[in-house]
Amino acid sequence: MTNTIKNIAIFDLDGTIIDSSHRQLANADGSINLEHWFANNTSEKIAKDKLLPLSKAIKNADYVVFCTSRQLQNADLDFFKTNGLLANKIISRPFGNTEKDGILKKRQLQFLVNFKQFKQATKVMFDDNAEVRQEDRKLFPVINPNKLNKEVA
Ligand SMILES: [Mg+2]
């Protein structure tokens, strides 16, 4: 089977393709506020999240990865479905994990650099967290989505 993946796009969720600011999940620097996250992670609140303009770019990639430093639950998957957010792979924080966002994501995304079927593909990642951008740029380019979301909006 010839199934060549030419380009891969990796999208953070909160502050990148999803506006969940009403839940105040993020600290000022864009890192996840785990304490606040737990209190505001109800199905009702998740359903009130909105899409950001950059979410329209998802369909342009051959292979799409969602990579979030939050833990995911069924209500999040329902939100993806309701809003037509489709990914080939969804990566989230394992339960009980407290690593820094950038370190966690770099480790979880390493397979895109190592695995044969992804090695040759062009890769770009979007993340509003400066610490993630700095850390994960060791793997591939990471773009700050803030400007893009303002320009397209
Ligand atoms: Mg974010």
Side-chain angles (χ1 to χ4, degrees):
M1 196 176 80
T2 47
N3 187 16
T4 314
I5 298 165
K6 289 200 189 74
N7 58 76
I8 301 173
I10 304 117
F11 296 92
D12 167 50
L13 298 180
D14 304 295
T16 298
I17 56 168
I18 296 176
D19 179 3
S20 54
S21 53
H22 69 103
R23 291 197 276 147
Q24 296 179 298
L25 304 174
N27 297 312
D29 65 356
S31 65
I32 194 89
N33 182 334
L34 283 176
E35 216 166 288
H36 212 111
W37 181 86
F38 281 112
N40 285 281
N41 199 41
T42 65
S43 307
E44 293 74 22
K45 288 191 174 177
I46 289 170
K48 285 184 188 148
D49 290 357
K50 297 264 185 301
L51 294 184
L52 286 168
L54 186 60
S55 64
K56 294 188 190 104
I58 292 171
K59 60 181 187 305
N60 297 336
D62 285 343
Y63 190 90
V64 174
V65 180
F66 292 164
C67 186
T68 177
S69 56
R70 29 163 165 144
Q71 297 168 0
L72 289 181
Q73 57 180 351
N74 286 335
D76 294 298
L77 303 179
D78 288 346
F79 180 86
F80 298 160
K81 215 183 202 176
T82 308
N83 290 281
L85 296 180
L86 294 173
N88 298 88
K89 192 167 179 68
I90 299 172
I91 298 171
S92 60
R93 181 179 296 275
F95 284 86
N97 177 292
T98 55
E99 279 175 287
K100 263 191 129 177
D101 299 6
I103 305 277
L104 171 66
K105 289 186 175 187
K106 195 175 97 204
R107 187 165 51 72
Q108 291 176 311
L109 293 169
Q110 186 73 46
F111 77 97
L112 293 172
V113 177
N114 296 348
F115 284 16
K116 200 177 158 199
Q117 69 267 43
F118 302 119
K119 230 177 196 168
Q120 302 301 322
T122 308
K123 299 163 195 88
V124 63
M125 178 176 179
F126 301 90
D127 203 302
D128 66 319
N129 181 346
E131 183 257 333
V132 171
R133 291 197 299 275
Q134 193 182 354
E135 191 62 34
D136 290 29
R137 270 176 191 151
K138 293 168 191 169
L139 298 179
F140 32 67
V142 190
I143 293 172
N144 184 344
N146 290 347
K147 231 178 134 190
L148 292 169
N149 275 324
K150 274 187 204 125
E151 276 166 10
V152 189

